[in-house]
Amino acid sequence: MPVQCSNCVQRRAVLKRPKTGHSLCKDCFFWAFEEEIHQTIVSAGLFNRGETVAIGASGGKDSTVLAHVMKVLNERYDYDLNLLLLSVDEGITGYRDDSLETVKRNQQQYELPLKIVSYEELYGWTMDAIVKKVGLKNNCTFCGVFRRQALDRGAMMLKVDKICTGHNADDVAETVLMNVLRGDIARLRRCTSISTASDGEGAIPRCKPLKYAYEKEIVLYAYFKKLDYFSTECIYSPNAYRGHARAFLKDLESIRPSSIIDVIHSGETLSIKEGVKMPVQGTCSRCGYISSQALCKSCVLLEGLNRGLPKLGIGKHHRLHGKILAQEPLTEQEEKKLKAVDF
Amino acid sequence: MCQVEEDYNGLESELNNLCCMKCKEGTAVLIIRVNDAFCRSCFKEYFIHKFRAMLGKNRVIFPQEKVLLAVSGGTASCSMLSQVQEGLSREAPKKLRFVPGIIYIDDGGACGRSAEERQRSNALLKSIFTETGFTYFIVSLEQVFSLPTSVLVPGTSDPDPSNPSYKQAVDQYIKEKQTLTEENVASAVAQLNIEDSAYSPEHKLALERLFSSMKTLTAKEDMLQTLRQHLILHIARENGYSKVMMGDSCSRLAVKLLSNIALGRGAALASDTGFSDPRYGDVVIVRPMRDYSSKEIAFYSRMFNVPSVFISGLDTKTHDKASIQRLTESFVTNLQFDFPSTVSTIYRTSEKLHTVMPPQSQTAEPASKCLLCLCTLDTKVDKASAFHATLVSEQLSQIKLQDPSLDAPAQSAEQCCTEGQGCGPGGCCSSNRLPSHQDLKTLLCYSCRLTIKDMVATNTLPPYIITEAEKRQKRWEILLHNLNISFIKKKKCCHLLTLSKPE
């Protein structure tokens, strides 16, 4: 006996929602998915009328769906936003160059202006070159730090008011778990906020409209809407620590589908003791971007790469930052600790 | 932690030549943590010192206080028991200064063990307990069906101004010590052993029904934990124990922290995994073993022959993905193998958390605590929160017809209250004796809601929970009704005021 859609009861159900387990027909699912994102945007007050918003587009499913839904909601509910696509080229052959083609196609399909910034032009290093120096274990740190700055710089070049990224519920839940496993209290407190703080010059707020959307539902939406996206994993990601958190989360989801939202709920409701040392936001003395140390992380990482000491930014070597700022030469022992391991 | 250069290999071959890192003389017999080698006597000292230091640092156990030790038969709680024994037998002034009792909850009825197995393990444990000479209580989980509703109401901790501070209390005790001899205390205490392992067949059936109405193992484990806590709390209150010591080790607590995050208990993380858990008010739960890893406990009980009994639980011999708790345990254990600092990092994270306590006020209603786990409700629907998103999703995926039927029971209840009829035992309100899922949900915190959602029939819950739920529901309805009346009255008054000329 065919199952009827639990919302309209008229049409046949074509899918089972991973989030709630209800059976829905295609149109009701589209409507529910888009409506939820609309509710998220409205209840969190993410955007104001007349703002220019850059959508971080990588060509993958999350950013494609985000671009599509933002366009749809912008028209349907008259947000009066000026949307554009911002893409970052990390220089990973076989992965990023293919996904950039997808973004260029998206630009035509959604009729949104596109800007691409690349690591090569901003920092002088591509990810391929970085991995050759650093190895396969800590490269995600470089990529992530550089990408955030690249997004910021691209946004400043375009003079936008806000950036929105395609982080979904699974991403946020993984981040909560990862921060607990790593003991990163400062990030644990901030990672569940839907948008970054907007005070401080040079800091354009970033928000996550897809925060409560399950990854599975995003895939279903993209599939049923026949959206054009690029679906391969980054070739350097298998060794990342986040992989453990992700495997755990996927297993949790198979036991209890609401676990993803439960983890986010835990992350939102937990509270940190007063008196726990928290980093204070300041500015980097070299490039002027926001930083909690004297030198921002990307300056430290770049310094390490340029000097042939790729482990400079990995691990805790805060005492050496002062030395680097003062341009003093490092001792033999310190140099040895910071050099890459031979393969 | 995830650095390229960290090197954990190459130590096994050197064990034979290693010296104890503490005394530097004896040959090392074991390595704990990554590369800390200890000889036998130094390890014993280290182990014992940790226990005393944990109690001394936190200063929550006052002299002459009655403390209940919750023993499950496993190595951790039996090691705790042996530590307490050891501590009480030392010469003053370093002696531990409290009066211990032991409690063991026999949950074989929920875990599906046969009556012979239960009797066997009870007998083994009884022999261990009588060896110690402390009062002990062996209680079967079926007793849960005869608990009073006062279990669900947090008692008030006594903010008596005459209560001395810890240091004063200790000084006072040392001065008075001459009047209290050892034999008096021991003989008085030895007569109070209670073995209440007998249970009636109806209760046994009720327990089986309760656990078979839970669909998932996760919910079963959660419910078992809750019921066990209630029973321990009740026994502690009945017999005047103001503290309960649990034997949770560091590794166990790390697993508990992660699985609680996965269950949605973020608000209560600090109480569930911290050193002291004050949510019950008059009885405080402490966890003195939280600094010990399972490895240390296992080595200690092996080397110094701590008697323990293995009793299988709900999740023994189940596969990795049987329940959230089981999955987390295997995840953390596997991760610990590749990254040995995982458990201690999680432990340190848990130390930095605290539970947000609402400001202590006289008017604080008991209804603001969860019915089952007694922590503050975290279901205030914040506009931009995960909880709000869940509600929105529920609404959008279902046909709108659902809503009016949800309001109906509440409305009809209000109707009969406004009629002025007495809602006594024979009255109208008591006709809906069985609380529906919807009614219960409003009284529970986020994660207890998930547990109840997995239940097929909520009427299998023990009577004390059902009665308390009804009571709170009624109280809430009366409160709402009164608020309505006073609002209407206020409107009338305002109306009259505006009619008369302002002064």
Side-chain angles (χ1 to χ4, degrees):
Chain A
M1 199 191 98
V3 180
Q4 298 298 108
C5 169
S6 60
N7 194 19
C8 62
V9 198
Q10 293 157 6
R11 293 179 282 261
R12 263 190 59 187
V14 294
L15 58 92
K16 197 165 170 197
R17 265 199 96 170
K19 200 171 193 180
T20 55
H22 294 117
S23 309
L24 292 176
C25 65
K26 224 165 46 168
D27 294 311
C28 290
F29 172 61
F30 291 157
W31 180 77
F33 186 78
E34 291 159 5
E35 196 58 28
E36 275 170 28
I37 298 177
H38 170 67
Q39 287 289 336
T40 309
I41 293 176
V42 164
S43 58
L46 291 181
F47 305 119
N48 301 314
R49 292 187 67 85
E51 278 185 336
T52 312
V53 176
I55 301 176
S58 62
K61 58 180 175 11
D62 298 329
S63 47
T64 306
V65 166
L66 178 67
H68 179 87
V69 172
M70 285 296 288
K71 187 151 185 285
V72 162
L73 292 179
N74 197 23
E75 282 158 18
R76 187 185 292 174
Y77 289 105
D78 188 29
Y79 290 162
D80 192 29
L81 297 174
N82 192 7
L83 297 172
L84 31 95
L85 296 172
L86 175 61
S87 197
V88 176
D89 176 12
E90 300 106 344
I92 303 177
T93 18
Y95 169 67
R96 190 48 83 205
D97 38 6
D98 287 340
S99 72
L100 276 181
E101 293 303 311
T102 315
V103 181
K104 287 180 189 145
R105 283 203 299 275
N106 283 344
Q107 178 199 11
Q108 264 122 33
Q109 287 156 357
Y110 303 141
E111 290 156 11
L112 299 170
L114 166 67
K115 167 128 184 86
I116 304 181
V117 288
S118 76
Y119 281 11
E120 184 71 52
E121 70 184 54
L122 283 176
Y123 309 115
W125 284 83
T126 62
M127 269 317 288
D128 286 339
I130 292 176
V131 171
K132 282 203 192 75
K133 283 282 163 114
V134 174
L136 289 169
K137 213 163 174 190
N138 290 310
N139 42 53
C140 290
T141 305
F142 285 85
C143 193
V145 172
F146 285 165
R147 189 181 313 115
R148 274 167 186 75
Q149 258 225 4
L151 267 179
D152 270 341
R153 293 198 199 192
M156 295 200 87
M157 281 192 243
L158 291 170
K159 299 198 191 349
V160 301
D161 299 306
K162 295 224 164 87
I163 306 173
C164 63
T165 52
H167 288 99
N168 54 40
D170 295 51
D171 290 329
V172 179
E174 273 167 38
T175 310
V176 171
L177 291 174
M178 213 172 88
N179 286 333
V180 171
L181 289 172
R182 290 213 183 192
D184 196 335
I185 279 284
R187 288 209 171 84
L188 189 59
R189 188 200 255 176
R190 299 192 307 250
C191 65
T192 42
S193 350
I194 195 165
S195 73
T196 59
S198 51
D199 43 273
E201 341 72 42
I204 299 182
R206 264 179 272 126
C207 62
K208 310 176 178 116
L210 296 183
K211 184 184 171 195
Y212 297 117
Y214 276 32
E215 191 171 21
K216 280 202 173 125
E217 299 206 337
I218 291 178
V219 174
L220 276 175
Y221 185 84
Y223 172 75
F224 278 111
K225 281 261 178 180
K226 299 191 179 29
L227 297 179
D228 183 10
Y229 67 92
F230 184 71
S231 62
T232 308
E233 287 252 316
C234 173
I235 51 181
Y236 297 130
S237 69
N239 299 313
Y241 191 76
R242 187 176 272 262
H244 294 118
R246 175 173 298 161
F248 179 53
L249 191 71
K250 284 294 154 200
D251 287 337
L252 275 181
E253 194 189 356
S254 67
I255 298 177
R256 191 187 259 185
S258 66
S259 305
I260 301 180
I261 288 274
D262 298 339
V263 173
I264 301 181
H265 176 83
S266 298
E268 286 174 353
T269 46
L270 62 80
S271 71
I272 318 282
K273 263 189 206 164
E274 301 104 27
V276 174
K277 196 153 158 285
M278 287 286 175
V280 174
Q281 190 177 301
T283 45
C284 172
S285 44
R286 208 178 265 190
C287 63
Y289 276 100
I290 59 171
S291 163
S292 59
Q293 318 288 334
L295 275 182
C296 71
K297 190 74 167 188
S298 70
C299 284
V300 172
L301 291 177
L302 262 180
E303 179 81 26
L305 283 174
N306 290 329
R307 278 218 221 171
L309 304 167
K311 282 173 63 188
L312 189 52
I314 314 286
K316 300 180 164 76
H317 299 293
H318 293 260
R319 285 161 268 143
L320 298 173
H321 285 194
K323 271 194 166 180
I324 298 165
L325 262 181
Q327 305 270 1
E328 281 169 25
L330 299 172
T331 65
E332 187 71 45
Q333 204 190 27
E334 288 163 348
E335 291 234 343
K336 204 165 84 132
K337 254 202 284 184
L338 297 175
K339 273 219 164 64
V341 172
D342 290 319
F343 287 91
Chain B
M1 176 155 96
C2 308
Q3 299 179 18
V4 181
E5 198 112 280
E6 280 181 324
D7 193 9
Y8 298 120
N9 306 318
L11 279 176
E12 294 94 7
S13 51
E14 298 170 19
L15 181 52
N16 300 326
N17 315 328
L18 270 181
C19 275
C20 167
M21 61 170 263
K22 210 151 170 228
C23 60
K24 314 254 189 293
E25 295 165 355
T27 37
V29 294
L30 80 162
I31 295 187
I32 58 164
R33 291 192 283 263
V34 178
N35 45 13
D36 290 342
F38 280 95
C39 66
R40 202 187 154 92
S41 48
C42 285
F43 179 60
K44 183 162 188 172
E45 238 184 78
Y46 161 82
F47 200 86
I48 294 175
H49 170 75
K50 240 199 205 179
F51 187 75
R52 321 296 303 285
M54 180 60 91
L55 286 182
K57 190 169 64 164
N58 284 290
R59 295 188 165 196
V60 290
I61 304 208
F62 283 63
Q64 286 302 88
E65 210 174 352
K66 288 178 83 173
V67 175
L68 197 56
L69 307 173
V71 174
S72 66
T75 42
S77 39
C78 290
S79 304
M80 179 175 76
L81 184 57
S82 85
Q83 288 303 304
V84 169
Q85 254 185 295
E86 161 90 35
L88 281 172
S89 69
R90 276 204 188 184
E91 318 75 38
K94 287 205 175 176
K95 218 158 79 101
L96 286 179
R97 299 184 190 96
F98 54 84
V99 180
I102 307 176
I103 182 169
Y104 165 68
I105 307 271
D106 170 20
D107 52 11
C111 304
R113 291 205 302 272
S114 68
E116 300 83 43
E117 280 176 349
R118 293 170 73 171
Q119 267 171 6
R120 219 175 348 170
S121 41
N122 285 358
L124 278 171
L125 280 167
K126 188 170 167 189
S127 61
I128 296 178
F129 295 162
T130 34
E131 277 281 321
T132 64
F134 304 147
T135 323
Y136 62 84
F137 305 89
I138 298 186
V139 184
S140 60
L141 191 64
E142 281 82 354
Q143 299 292 334
V144 136
F145 286 93
S146 44
L147 282 181
T149 57
S150 58
V151 168
L152 295 173
V153 180
T156 45
S157 58
D158 195 4
D160 189 1
S162 70
N163 236 3
S165 71
Y166 185 76
K167 194 157 187 340
Q168 290 173 335
V170 169
D171 292 336
Q172 206 175 9
Y173 170 74
I174 293 179
K175 264 187 259 163
E176 292 170 359
K177 213 166 64 84
Q178 296 90 349
T179 56
L180 206 68
T181 61
E182 293 291 342
E183 296 91 31
N184 283 353
V185 174
S187 61
V189 147
Q191 289 154 20
L192 291 172
N193 297 330
I194 294 180
E195 188 181 333
D196 204 354
S197 52
Y199 44 86
S200 68
E202 300 96 50
H203 286 173
K204 180 166 184 292
L205 215 59
L207 191 67
E208 279 170 20
R209 263 215 315 267
L210 168 62
F211 275 86
S212 55
S213 86
M214 316 223 87
K215 293 185 286 195
T216 57
L217 187 59
T218 311
K220 280 191 201 174
E221 289 193 35
D222 205 33
M223 181 56 73
L224 178 61
Q225 173 77 4
T226 314
L227 294 178
R228 221 191 270 147
Q229 289 281 80
H230 289 171
L231 198 50
I232 293 178
L233 181 64
H234 174 72
I235 303 279
R237 274 195 185 143
E238 286 270 291
N239 295 284
Y241 288 93
S242 50
K243 299 270 183 321
V244 176
M245 272 195 190
M246 302 284 221
D248 292 312
S249 64
C250 185
S251 321
R252 271 287 162 87
L253 283 177
V255 171
K256 196 165 183 201
L257 184 85
L258 266 187
S259 54
N260 279 358
I261 288 182
L263 291 169
R265 299 186 63 90
L269 277 179
S271 317
D272 287 340
T273 55
F275 175 74
S276 71
D277 183 357
R279 73 177 95 161
Y280 299 111
D282 49 352
V283 177
V284 178
I285 314 250
V286 295
R287 300 184 178 99
M289 304 293 282
R290 69 188 294 259
D291 222 358
Y292 294 101
S293 69
S294 324
K295 195 172 171 189
E296 291 170 11
I297 292 179
F299 269 125
Y300 184 82
S301 43
R302 186 75 200 269
M303 284 164 67
F304 298 100
N305 297 317
V306 173
S308 65
V309 180
F310 173 74
I311 298 174
S312 60
L314 265 181
D315 60 356
T316 310
K317 279 195 174 176
T318 50
H319 63 101
D320 273 355
K321 294 213 207 159
S323 73
I324 288 184
Q325 292 89 343
R326 181 80 185 82
L327 175 72
T328 316
E329 190 184 352
S330 71
F331 173 65
V332 174
T333 322
N334 287 334
L335 206 60
Q336 177 78 3
F337 183 67
D338 289 318
F339 303 103
S341 51
T342 304
V343 166
S344 51
T345 309
I346 300 179
Y347 172 70
R348 269 185 293 117
T349 313
S350 77
E351 283 195 314
K352 296 185 185 152
L353 299 170
H354 83 288
T355 310
V356 178
M357 287 304 234
Q360 279 290 13
S361 65
Q362 304 304 14
T363 56
E365 297 239 346
S368 61
K369 300 257 177 178
C370 171
L371 180 68
L372 287 177
C373 63
L374 271 92
C375 37
T376 327
L377 285 179
D378 55 354
T379 47
K380 209 172 65 116
V381 184
D382 226 1
K383 279 296 273 186
S385 68
F387 186 51
H388 177 69
T390 332
L391 294 176
V392 166
S393 304
E394 285 287 315
Q395 259 185 317
L396 290 174
S397 307
Q398 287 175 33
I399 196 164
K400 291 295 181 285
L401 275 180
Q402 289 270 349
D403 293 329
S405 66
L406 294 176
D407 291 332
Q411 269 182 0
S412 58
E414 230 185 47
Q415 289 291 356
C416 43
C417 287
T418 40
E419 301 286 319
Q421 309 280 335
C423 294
C428 40
C429 288
S430 63
S431 59
N432 27 329
R433 179 117 178 84
L434 309 169
S436 63
H437 271 115
Q438 192 58 31
D439 295 333
L440 263 186
K441 266 187 176 170
T442 48
L443 301 168
L444 299 172
C445 69
Y446 187 89
S447 65
C448 291
R449 285 188 194 205
L450 294 173
T451 309
I452 294 296
K453 213 203 270 195
D454 275 347
M455 274 187 91
V456 170
T458 51
N459 57 357
T460 50
L461 282 170
Y464 70 101
I465 296 180
I466 297 183
T467 325
E468 179 68 20
E470 280 178 357
K471 206 162 49 163
R472 290 190 193 182
Q473 191 71 12
K474 247 182 251 175
R475 204 186 296 148
W476 178 241
E477 283 159 11
I478 293 177
L479 182 70
L480 263 182
H481 169 68
N482 286 340
L483 278 175
N484 278 342
I485 295 263
S486 70
F487 180 65
I488 293 171
K489 277 194 183 150
K490 249 190 189 166
K491 272 182 86 174
K492 278 195 182 150
C493 283
C494 290
H495 187 62
L496 287 170
L497 276 174
T498 51
L499 284 180
S500 60
K501 284 228 164 74
E503 308 295 328

